[in-house]
Amino acid sequence: MAFKSPPAKVHSYVTKLLKANLIKNPPVWYPAASLAPPSPTFLRERDPSGANPHAQLQFEKEAEIRNKKEALAAGQPAPASSTSTAQKELTRSSRSQKHLRWKTERPQKIVYPEDKLRRRFYEDHPWELRRPRCLIETSGDGTRRNWTSLLQPGRSIADLTGEDVIQYQLYLMTTGKSEREAYHIATEEFYLHRAQEETEARVAKAQAMAFGLKPRRSFVMNGLKREEAALLEAERNAAKF
């Protein structure tokens, strides 16, 4: 029966064989395994970087402090911070899993500030998800980060999407505006640009009609015309017999 070494100890096992001259040439993978030795466990460590998963941005901290002051001024108990709430949930979950023999390692939940804003925007504007989007960068600049205005330089009104509104709202929140106020300003500018786009399309269609352009029939009208032609042809064929 052949000796079977655990996968995590293969490197040390081959090292002993080389020292004992039982193997003359090391395997191809040996130098790489020497630089990055395998971990004793196959489970991924929990947050090896030491980063705080419950960290807050500056405007989130300011909003939390402002909410506490408003609650204290109104004589109400101060709301619990999101960091303490997340820590309590983590402690509660660890306590509930104490009786388990094996703890299931799961990736931590990643939450971005844009998630809440994106959820609210598309709940109020579901038809924005039906608009076609071009995934090809035609301007050569895919790193637009100047969100001081909704319509950025070098982009047309037709390129505006809901993601632009979300990023613009997030920028306004970093300048000290509340979430509701930033949402109102961003959507108001968005509605103005959408109205301008519809007006330009209507004027362009009227000008084309004035210069003699014939409007194209819709798919429904084309289908009805072809159906009428097929019925007439069937009547002519039936009359021959």
Side-chain angles (χ1 to χ4, degrees), residues 137 139 141-169 171 189 193:
E137 293 287 346
S139 62
D141 181 14
T143 59
R144 302 186 181 93
R145 295 292 183 269
N146 182 19
W147 294 108
T148 54
S149 61
L150 179 60
L151 187 61
Q152 299 182 9
R155 300 188 66 186
S156 62
I157 301 177
D159 295 334
L160 282 179
T161 61
E163 295 299 323
D164 297 330
V165 181
I166 294 165
Q167 295 296 333
Y168 184 47
Q169 179 186 0
Y171 167 77
E189 292 190 24
H193 290 308

Side-chain angles (χ1 to χ4, degrees), residues 4-228:
K4 293 183 179 180
S5 177
K9 296 183 179 181
V10 172
H11 178 265
S12 60
Y13 179 66
V14 174
T15 303
K16 294 178 181 179
L17 294 178
L18 289 172
K19 290 181 179 180
N21 292 326
L22 297 177
I23 298 179
K24 296 182 179 180
N25 298 323
V28 180
W29 50 265
Y30 187 79
S34 302
L35 296 175
S39 174
T41 175
F42 292 102
L43 298 179
R44 186 175 299 175
E45 297 181 0
R46 186 187 298 273
D47 196 6
S49 63
N52 184 9
H54 309 296
Q56 292 178 320
L57 296 178
Q58 185 63 28
F59 73 91
E60 293 178 329
K61 295 179 181 178
E62 295 175 357
E64 188 172 335
I65 295 174
R66 185 166 55 253
N67 293 335
K68 288 184 178 180
K69 291 182 178 179
E70 293 177 356
L72 293 175
Q76 300 176 355
S81 62
S82 58
T83 305
S84 60
T85 305
Q87 291 177 353
K88 289 180 180 178
E89 292 179 356
L90 182 61
T91 305
R92 190 183 302 112
S93 63
S94 61
R95 288 177 180 174
S96 63
Q97 293 182 357
K98 275 187 176 180
H99 66 283
L100 299 178
R101 184 177 179 182
W102 301 101
K103 291 185 179 180
T104 304
E105 296 290 339
R106 296 181 179 179
Q108 297 183 4
K109 187 177 181 181
I110 302 176
V111 180
Y112 295 97
E114 297 92 332
D115 295 341
K116 182 180 178 182
L117 310 181
R118 184 178 293 108
R119 192 179 304 110
R120 179 182 177 183
F121 177 81
Y122 286 114
E123 284 178 357
D124 296 341
H125 309 83
W127 288 103
E128 285 297 322
L129 296 172
R130 301 291 300 272
R131 292 179 64 91
R133 293 184 59 181
C134 180
L135 301 180
I136 302 176
E137 293 287 346
T138 56
S139 62
D141 181 14
T143 59
R144 302 186 181 93
R145 295 292 183 269
N146 182 19
W147 294 108
T148 54
S149 61
L150 179 60
L151 187 61
Q152 299 182 9
R155 300 188 66 186
S156 62
I157 301 177
D159 295 334
L160 282 179
T161 61
E163 295 299 323
D164 297 330
V165 181
I166 294 165
Q167 295 296 333
Y168 184 47
Q169 179 186 0
L170 183 63
Y171 167 77
L172 293 176
M173 292 172 64
T174 58
T175 59
K177 293 181 174 56
S178 62
E179 180 181 344
R180 183 176 182 180
E181 186 179 2
Y183 181 77
H184 176 72
I185 296 174
T187 52
E188 186 177 5
E189 292 190 24
F190 181 67
Y191 298 153
L192 290 176
H193 290 308
R194 280 284 184 262
Q196 181 179 353
E197 180 184 4
E198 293 178 0
T199 303
E200 291 178 355
R202 185 168 59 253
V203 172
K205 182 178 179 180
Q207 290 178 349
M209 297 287 292
F211 281 97
L213 179 66
K214 295 182 180 180
R216 297 179 59 183
R217 291 197 301 262
S218 63
F219 291 102
V220 177
M221 294 302 298
N222 286 333
L224 292 175
K225 291 292 184 181
R226 294 178 64 181
E227 184 179 357
E228 291 178 0

